[in-house]
Amino acid sequence: MRERMMRYLRYLLPMKWWFLLAILSGVIAAGASGMGIPFMIYKVFPVVFDPSKMPEAVSEFMAARVDPANLKNVLLLLACAVMPVVFVIRGVAMWLNAVLVSYVGMKILEHIRMDVFRKLQSLPLSFLERQQKGDLISRVITDTQNVQTMITQVSNDIIKQPLTAVSAIGVLVYMMYEQGTMGMMLTNIGFAALALAPIIICGKRIANRSRKAQKGLGDITSVVQESLASQREIRSYGLEQRQIDELSKGTDKYCKDQLKAVKYQQILVPVMETVTALALANMLVQGRAMGMTLTDFLGIAGALFFAFDSMKRAGIAFNKLNQAQASLERLDAILSEPDTMPDPELPQPIGRVEGRISFRNVNFSYEEGKPILKNIQVEIPAGQVVALVGPSGAGKTTFASLIPRFYDATSGAVLIDGVDVKDVAKTELRRHLALVSQHAMLFRQSIKENIRIGRPQAEDEEVLQAAREASVFSFLDDQPQGIDTVLGDAGGGLSGGQRQRVAIARAFLKDAPILILDEATAALDAESEEKIQHELEHLVKGRTTLIVAHRFSSIRVADRILVFSHGEIVGDGTHSKLYSSCPLYRELYDKQGI
Ligand code: ADP
């Protein structure tokens, strides 16, 4: 809790002057409402209706300057002018207060949203894999939106109303003291305390319900996101109704939780108004018993009204804040997620990398107690092309993922050119690696810009050269704007083989000394694969390359093969050596019929 407050304070610090100005204008607005108006009724009305009640000092001053015949009119005018003056001051201060609170709130929120997104970019993959993507999307978009809406809704009230209540209660106490009505004062303070109870009780319940509702909204987003991403599977297995039912269940639960929050929110107004009516009725009874005049009564009633009305409005604003609090907690959970794979404090520069890779006694598990890689010991000299083969689930992809530090070895070390990858800054390390994965991810931009991702500062000519080397031009005739054609989501509009070529062009452009081809050709039909093989052979030349191979055709380019089984390397050598000495390799190879 304390940590969270400190974090918000850090966000507030750059805005401190605006925030102080917001508070100051809130104080003025509150003073003008809570004190100014009741005072006006209490002090000015009697003067207007009976100028003899003018305070002596003022009437002497006026009498000295003004023709006595006009005195009454001037007094009247002056007294009446107090009202618009109070309202002008109140109006300007209220406007300034609401605008500044919104400004400060939104700026802070903007920082929080960016920090959450930044954090998501840097948190370990293992964290992201455990999360529902839809829920994370919902946090970045809906929860921040929720907080933003609340800020604008409460900006007018959050500072002004509590201060108005305090100043109105202050005036009330003063007036009742002046009237010598201690009993009345005490009962009214009792009523004010009574009015606080529903604010506190409802606030807690609203926060709980809102927490559930926001979580529900995350679940709904997950269902929608999953459904849109897996339409082929859903249609081929006839899962449409299941998805619809799931969304309906989620929406139903979300609505129920929302409705419960709304019920608690709306109960506040009638409860507070009843307490106000009770307090006024009590005052009528006591005032009448004491023989209070109408103007005295009106002044006190005005202060009482402002005290209770502003408590009610402050209560509504606090309830909205409670709702926003639920969203803030969800954002905060991401911000406070520890980075389990931080960069080293003093990262080691690795300069030019030759591409020597060493695995020293490497053990790895995704979950405690379930070892995936067991005591891996391998030296890969610079420039060697290594194919990783083995049954599915044997640990090949995991092995390759330790080199770019997608995960950290549980024990042992992975070294590049003799430097432990944990001693190098992640961005520096990854500059020396190119990755072509099974499902090449293309972004919603032109083919050319998709290739440029390999090296953003590359000249146009270099991008075109990389495209030529990966035979991207062979399919550009079909694209409406050639290499400038903008792709749909995730490279929509291109076939698997074409996407793969764009990814290979990216790797050509990056020109990194280490290359990881994660089943790069697995998603292709035999013909496309045959064609791409040629570009791959060209790409791997002179680079240390790891090919996570499922099809044995991709081992044609390999100098060396590592055979994986249950997280261990059970074979290491050339094809002919392994075929004669490694039974698992022979079995896998023969099954492929190659
Ligand atoms: P291969 O590439 O040889 O098919 P992987 O390295 O992908 O094998 O997987 C090895 C084992 O690790 C499998 O049992 C798989 O279930 C598990 N695994 C892979 N990725 C994850 C992950 N992100 N979280 C938890 N377990 C995983």
Side-chain angles (χ1 to χ4, degrees), residues 125-126 129-130 364-367 370-373 388-401 407 518-519 548-550 564-567:
L125 289 185
S126 53
E129 281 159 2
R130 281 199 311 272
F364 177 79
S365 53
Y366 289 102
E367 293 157 47
K370 278 198 194 161
I372 301 291
L373 293 179
L388 314 176
V389 301
S392 177
K396 306 178 294 288
T397 312
T398 308
F399 175 85
S401 305
Y407 310 99
D518 184 7
E519 302 193 323
V548 180
H550 256 209
F564 281 76
S565 172
H566 300 293

Side-chain angles (χ1 to χ4, degrees), residues 208-228:
N208 281 339
R209 292 297 161 191
S210 302
R211 227 170 266 138
K212 284 193 184 160
Q214 288 308 120
K215 160 89 180 58
L217 202 54
D219 292 341
I220 291 175
T221 320
S222 286
V223 177
V224 175
Q225 190 257 348
E226 206 172 63
S227 293
L228 294 179

Side-chain angles (χ1 to χ4, degrees), residues 86 216 251 463 485:
V86 170
T251 328
V463 177
T485 306

